[in-house]
Amino acid sequence: MKPDIHPEYRDVVFHDTTSDSYFVIGSTLKTDRTIDYQGTTYPYMTIDVSSKSHPFYTGKQRVSQNDGRVAKFNKRYKRGGAK
């Protein structure tokens, strides 16, 4: 590797403000904020959504299933009675 061209890779604490969860992940993120987390000082970054709060991962996602064009046609022009 060439010296002095790569960003510093270090552990960073990400705080999911929606679920109030903390994650320590390796990152090259540059931030001036720090936090003491589990007895160690880490760079600190807040985020709005993570796997702890995203509806897809929590199972609270509402599924909106759209019918296809043929199903919409059949639904709209459905005949009553026997076929």
Side-chain angles (χ1 to χ4, degrees), residues 3-58:
D4 301 327
I5 64 166
H6 299 285
E8 178 186 359
Y9 186 79
R10 59 193 176 167
D11 287 337
V12 177
V13 171
F14 289 92
H15 178 204
D16 181 357
T17 56
T18 305
S19 65
D20 197 30
S21 301
Y22 293 87
F23 303 93
V24 178
I25 301 173
S27 177
T28 60
L29 179 77
K30 293 183 181 181
T31 181
D32 296 332
R33 299 171 65 186
T34 59
I35 188 172
D36 288 329
Y37 182 70
Q38 297 180 347
T40 307
T41 302
Y42 292 103
Y44 173 73
M45 184 67 180
T46 59
I47 54 176
D48 295 329
V49 178
S50 72
S51 61
K52 293 285 187 179
S53 63
H54 193 279
F56 178 80
Y57 296 106
T58 60

